[in-house]
Amino acid sequence: MANYQEQSIKIYNSLTGQKETFKPLNEGHVGMYVCGPTVYSNVHLGNVRTFMSFDVVFRYLKHLGFKVRYVRNITDAGHLENDADEGEDRIAKKARLESIEPMEVVQRYTVDFHNILNSFNFLPPSIEPTATGHIIEQIEIIKAIIDNGYAYEVNGSVYFDVHKFNEDKAYGVLSKRKLEDLIHNTRQLDGQSDKKNPQDFALWKRAEPQHIMRWPSPWSDGFPGWHLECTAMSTKYLGEKFDIHGGGMDLKFPHHECEIAQAEACNGHDPVNYWMHANMLIMNGKKMAKSTGNFILPNEIFSGDNPHISKAYNPSVARFFMLQAHYRSILDFTDAGLQASEKGFYRLMEAVNSLKDLKAGSSSTLNINEWRQKCYDAMNDDFNTPILIAQLFEGVKLVNQIKDGTASLTSNDLKVLENTLHIFCFDILGLTNAASAEGSGDKLSEAVNLLIELRQEARMNKDFGLSDKIRDRLAEAGIQLQDGKDGTVFTTN
RNA sequence: GGCGUCUUGGCCGAGUGGCUAGGCAGAGGUCUGCAAAACCUUUUACAGCGGUUCGAAUCCGCUAGACGCCUCCA
């Protein structure tokens, strides 16, 4: 069996801008942290794409035999709508609008989040910690940062001193920004601020009297700043230094930059070896935004109930569609793209389902182990799922050629083919075999199979008027008959 | 305005300094009573202009355009 000692993975590290050979801190173990959602509304499809990318990373690392601790947080604490000391806590705002408790908002959308991810066949992370469950840890980090001289308190709030930090270390290494540029380009905001400088960010905010989500601290009754939870939880569960930190491209600045600063200010060194950023999902060439109507909820893909798509799509089809693009590329979500993927997906599944019927030959016309390694090579090269899928279609071609008798594999090689297709389709890409779900024995199948029999009899009698009538009327009812070598099967839409 | 990413054939979408990505669509074929499906084969490419090089779609520069971040956002 393949394992991490046989395969060498290269990861594109956002910190260095290069692909680097992946070497975990502790051999055989991987610590991975991915910034999770803020649960104040239905999970964004782009968010799903990001998590899907890391779901595949998680699956692949596990497949290689690494012991992976995958931490993905749930942000359920109040974050302000912006970083300028003003705006409303998004969860509190939603709670006010719907006249429910903030924690009801959190609960509702956490459940929604999990439901959607389950539909897409995500593996649950090893730990899914919540921000509100780690207030104490966050306060401890603030204390340490203050002690180290990189934070200051004003009116019960605590701010990170970016300028001071930049004197000793480098702020902006991840997003390749210079503090001077930031200073020149920071918009002058009107609201009066307690910050020394606009680039500073909150570690702790004093709560206004009407603010419901609040916790006691040495500085005030308040709530933690919006970058701190990730530092607290990643440190707690993965240590001061861990292997992989992931998230959406848009979190690079300021969120991840602030995480690096916080961790360095607290622990004296940078926290992460490999930073990975998943690119954006757009729809019909434009940014997805509720305000412009260029928007779709994950659920609406499954139901087809959205003006931007022509029909409902199986979650595995949507998953397959997303994985046909590399995680570092912008992906355009379109109905035409989904339809193309749908056909390809079912062709792939068809081939996988027919594996069990293949007959072994006395020799092999293809070096199966070479092909198998190409699948690994694709994943080893910065988790290149599109290349992997291209290789899987080479496998499809081979399956069909064996069926046609134009290629053959020995019994052992056939097992390698079957095993490899199963591993990469299901274990690593996380697809589910929707095609094999059609059960026999239910009432619809019984009825349609009877009609297929009758049609077959009509054809034998050359009564094509009747046989075509059966076929056409069934088609009108949404049931397609497909004549094959081994008889007729049907599909429904 | 600043910073960054990107621009591939009808569509989607990989990739590399010289050697077929792949999917969908199109074309041809096999199969079939016919059709569909399925399978096999297959055409069209690297935004524009310069430069480096024996050779560039791949490296560099400029131009145009797109997208993202800079402000909650994945």
Side-chain angles (χ1 to χ4, degrees), chain A residues 386-404:
Chain A
I387 293 284
L388 169 63
I389 288 170
Q391 288 302 331
L392 295 180
F393 275 105
E394 293 302 319
V396 169
K397 194 168 157 187
L398 181 61
V399 168
N400 291 327
Q401 284 175 340
I402 293 173
K403 263 199 280 191
D404 283 0

Side-chain angles (χ1 to χ4, degrees), chain A residues 197-452:
Chain A
N197 294 292
Q199 294 75 37
D200 294 349
F201 55 90
L203 297 173
W204 188 262
K205 288 288 293 178
R206 178 171 53 81
E208 298 301 320
Q210 69 274 19
H211 203 107
I212 302 171
M213 295 182 103
R214 59 201 296 151
W215 294 266
S217 80
W219 312 284
S220 65
D221 274 13
F223 51 93
W226 56 297
H227 308 300
L228 194 58
E229 58 185 63
C230 290
T231 300
M233 294 185 275
S234 62
T235 306
K236 174 159 184 172
Y237 298 112
L238 299 173
E240 289 181 10
K241 183 99 177 177
F242 55 96
D243 298 300
I244 299 172
H245 188 128
M249 199 78 99
D250 54 344
L251 291 182
K252 211 172 183 180
F253 187 88
H255 184 61
H256 291 157
E257 204 66 75
C258 293
E259 273 190 65
I260 292 175
Q262 286 166 346
E264 285 209 30
C266 180
N267 302 321
H269 58 84
D270 65 333
V272 174
N273 272 148
Y274 303 89
W275 280 92
M276 294 178 68
H277 290 95
N279 217 138
M280 303 290 106
L281 180 75
I282 58 176
M283 183 158 79
N284 296 321
K286 293 211 175 70
K287 178 177 178 164
M288 268 201 204
K290 265 184 205 165
S291 53
T292 60
N294 197 235
F295 193 79
I296 188 167
L297 288 169
N299 255 133
E300 294 168 346
I301 299 170
F302 312 152
S303 68
D305 184 20
N306 183 288
H308 296 289
I309 53 175
S310 61
K311 62 189 283 285
Y313 294 96
N314 186 290
S316 259
V317 169
R319 185 170 175 118
F320 185 72
F321 167 76
M322 290 193 189
L323 295 177
Q324 270 186 305
H326 185 75
Y327 77 91
R328 281 192 289 117
S329 297
I330 292 171
L331 174 62
D332 192 5
F333 187 91
T334 61
D335 189 59
L338 280 167
Q339 286 195 27
S341 291
E342 182 176 50
K343 289 188 182 167
F345 171 70
Y346 285 117
R347 199 156 79 84
L348 175 61
M349 287 302 116
E350 199 103 350
V352 170
N353 287 331
S354 62
L355 278 167
K356 55 184 189 308
D357 303 323
L358 295 184
K359 302 276 184 294
S362 54
S363 64
S364 293
T365 54
L366 186 107
N367 186 329
I368 200 72
N369 288 314
E370 225 168 67
W371 167 76
R372 181 165 164 279
Q373 185 55 41
K374 279 184 191 167
C375 294
Y376 279 101
D377 289 344
M379 287 304 287
N380 291 341
D381 185 12
D382 198 28
F383 310 98
N384 198 321
T385 53
I387 293 284
L388 169 63
I389 288 170
Q391 288 302 331
L392 295 180
F393 275 105
E394 293 302 319
V396 169
K397 194 168 157 187
L398 181 61
V399 168
N400 291 327
Q401 284 175 340
I402 293 173
K403 263 199 280 191
D404 283 0
T406 54
S408 73
L409 285 181
T410 62
S411 157
N412 274 343
D413 282 357
L414 204 53
K415 276 186 194 131
V416 173
L417 173 67
E418 181 167 7
N419 177 259
T420 304
L421 277 174
H422 273 102
I423 284 173
F424 281 96
C425 286
F426 305 126
D427 296 356
I428 292 170
L429 292 179
L431 303 172
T432 46
N433 199 343
S436 68
E438 58 179 86
S440 56
D442 62 286
K443 287 173 183 167
L444 179 67
S445 301
E446 299 269 339
V448 176
N449 283 331
L450 174 63
L451 287 166
I452 288 174

Side-chain angles (χ1 to χ4, degrees), chain A residues 147-189:
Chain A
D147 287 349
N148 291 341
Y150 295 111
Y152 55 92
E153 184 204 336
V154 181
N155 295 327
S157 294
V158 181
Y159 295 97
F160 190 93
D161 192 335
V162 171
H163 289 235
K164 176 72 176 19
F165 178 79
N166 195 243
E167 286 170 19
D168 305 336
K169 325 245 182 188
Y171 181 78
V173 285
L174 178 65
S175 55
K176 318 258 184 301
R177 281 159 211 250
K178 291 193 173 64
L179 185 56
E180 305 92 78
D181 296 338
L182 289 171
I183 294 167
H184 291 140
N185 292 313
T186 302
R187 254 181 248 170
Q188 209 52 51
L189 292 151

Side-chain angles (χ1 to χ4, degrees), chain A residues 74-78 91 103 106 129-138 213-215 224 229 233:
Chain A
I74 296 270
T75 296
D76 60 347
I91 291 170
M103 274 300 165
V106 165
T130 60
T132 57
H134 297 76
I135 301 293
I136 291 168
E137 287 83 349
Q138 296 183 65
M213 295 182 103
R214 59 201 296 151
W215 294 266
E229 58 185 63
M233 294 185 275

